[in-house]
Amino acid sequence: MGSWERALDTAGIGDPGLREDYGRQRRQVTRYKREAVLAAQLLLPAGLVPHVIAATAFMHRTDSLLDSGPPADRRAAYARWEQEVRDGLTTGGTDDPELRPLLNTVAAHPALRDRALEHLAGAAADLDFAGFVTEADYRRYVDDYSLPAFMVIATLLGPDGDQTAYRTACRTFIDASQRLDFVSDLAEDLADGRLTIPEQVLDRHGVTRTDLEQARNLPAVRSLITEQLDRVDRTLAEARAVVGLVPPAHRPMVRCMIGLDELTSAAARADVPALLHRSAGPAKPAALRLLGREYLRARRLR
């Protein structure tokens, strides 16, 4: 019996059709988040892995509908999906094989129900997203979209019972992680017509949108990007407090998530002008060392 089959057994997922639904979603998630699936399988308790896969697949399905096709089509497709999910969460059943794993996971982890609804309520804001004017606009985006999306998975990793303090710590982490994504994907976002560093920040540095779109390697541009990375690093350091708020068996995974963002920030900082042309990511040898360290910690806990 393979590790995936054991994970399904440990999670109490015995129905053959439902096992196939989870397996299909695992294959889907592996295609676009292979490293995340590997980390979950190595670092999390086996019985939690299928549920994390289901939560990730739900987020991806929602985001895909928001990103694919003309705006009017996206809006209509998202409205249909939102209603289908809400109906499923209300009745506990659905004929959609893409939704069945989520409903089963919600039955096993009831706190996820409200998190899924919060994500649906905030996700529609991304339909019209084109960038930020002020830093306050960025903070609202984190509160309305980034944090509810992250909590779909983070709720499964958090403590039982009251998660108020944990959610606050997650807000700190996702603030850093979202800002890092916007900096590391700056060129890609600009090519799609989105300016994800607030215009207010550009004005303070004397940088124009055209400077960024034309990849001008100016001192002011480098200063702007470095300042954003400084904010990321300070916030990531504060976010490490979240590790102490999750059950010990989940800490290797949470440390790995934070560590990968730290490695991504270091890679971005190592060649700031390159961010005007391409995205940054963690160096693979360093990422593998991080994963190896946390895997040994996870094994010792078991």
Side-chain angles (χ1 to χ4, degrees):
M1 182 183 293
S3 61
W4 174 244
E5 287 73 20
R6 285 195 294 270
L8 291 170
D9 289 344
T10 306
I13 302 167
D15 177 78
L18 191 57
R19 288 170 76 94
E20 175 53 33
D21 292 339
Y22 273 95
R24 183 175 51 256
Q25 290 197 335
R26 174 175 172 262
R27 294 189 293 272
Q28 292 169 353
V29 174
T30 299
R31 283 197 290 271
Y32 62 86
K33 282 188 175 291
R34 180 177 297 275
E35 295 82 1
V37 172
L38 176 62
Q41 291 176 330
L42 290 176
L43 304 182
L44 288 174
L48 190 59
V49 173
H51 298 308
V52 169
I53 293 291
T56 305
F58 164 66
M59 288 176 56
H60 179 67
R61 173 78 179 274
T62 303
D63 289 344
S64 295
L65 291 172
L66 294 170
D67 294 338
S68 304
D73 293 348
R74 283 184 278 154
R75 196 174 300 278
Y78 179 75
R80 290 192 296 271
W81 170 243
E82 181 180 18
Q83 189 60 54
E84 183 180 2
V85 175
R86 290 183 180 278
D87 290 345
L89 290 172
T90 298
T91 65
T94 180
D95 294 328
D96 187 347
E98 296 298 320
L99 187 53
R100 281 197 296 261
L102 177 72
L103 299 186
N104 184 72
T105 289
V106 167
H109 298 271
L112 180 58
R113 181 183 185 278
D114 287 346
R115 302 296 83 77
L117 290 172
E118 288 173 2
H119 175 46
L120 288 173
D126 204 45
L127 282 166
D128 301 314
F129 174 67
F132 309 111
V133 175
T134 68
E135 177 68 18
D137 294 331
Y138 165 77
R139 290 195 295 269
R140 279 193 294 271
Y141 181 90
V142 171
D143 288 333
D144 295 345
Y145 177 73
S146 307
L147 179 60
F150 179 63
M151 291 306 298
V152 171
I153 294 175
T155 293
L156 300 175
L157 304 178
D160 292 332
D162 184 13
Q163 291 193 348
T164 302
Y166 173 64
R167 185 184 178 95
T168 299
C170 285
R171 169 62 171 79
T172 301
F173 170 66
I174 201 60
D175 180 4
S177 189
Q178 183 66 81
R179 194 182 300 274
L180 176 61
D181 281 350
F182 283 152
V183 175
S184 63
D185 293 338
L186 179 62
E188 180 181 331
D189 286 331
L190 283 169
D192 289 338
R194 297 189 299 269
L195 176 61
T196 52
I197 297 177
E199 295 175 18
Q200 182 183 59
V201 178
L202 268 65
D203 291 343
R204 192 172 71 246
H205 284 267
V207 173
T208 67
R209 180 174 183 146
T210 302
D211 291 334
L212 300 177
E213 289 174 335
Q214 297 188 1
R216 293 171 179 162
N217 184 12
L218 303 171
V221 170
R222 295 194 297 273
S223 174
L224 164 72
I225 295 174
T226 300
E227 180 194 72
Q228 293 297 296
L229 292 172
D230 288 343
R231 294 194 67 169
V232 167
D233 290 347
R234 288 195 300 270
T235 312
L236 279 176
E238 296 173 10
R240 282 204 164 267
V242 75
V243 176
L245 299 176
V246 304
H250 301 171
R251 289 174 188 171
M253 184 68 180
V254 174
R255 279 194 299 263
C256 189
M257 292 164 60
I258 296 172
L260 286 173
D261 274 357
E262 291 172 339
L263 291 174
T264 300
S265 180
R269 192 182 292 277
D271 193 354
V272 167
L275 296 174
L276 299 170
H277 302 279
R278 61 179 183 271
S279 298
K284 287 188 177 180
L288 288 172
R289 287 194 296 271
L290 170 63
L291 182 59
R293 287 196 304 271
E294 294 304 335
Y295 173 63
L296 291 176
R297 285 177 164 178
R299 286 199 62 175
R300 285 195 293 268
L301 284 169
R302 293 168 196 164

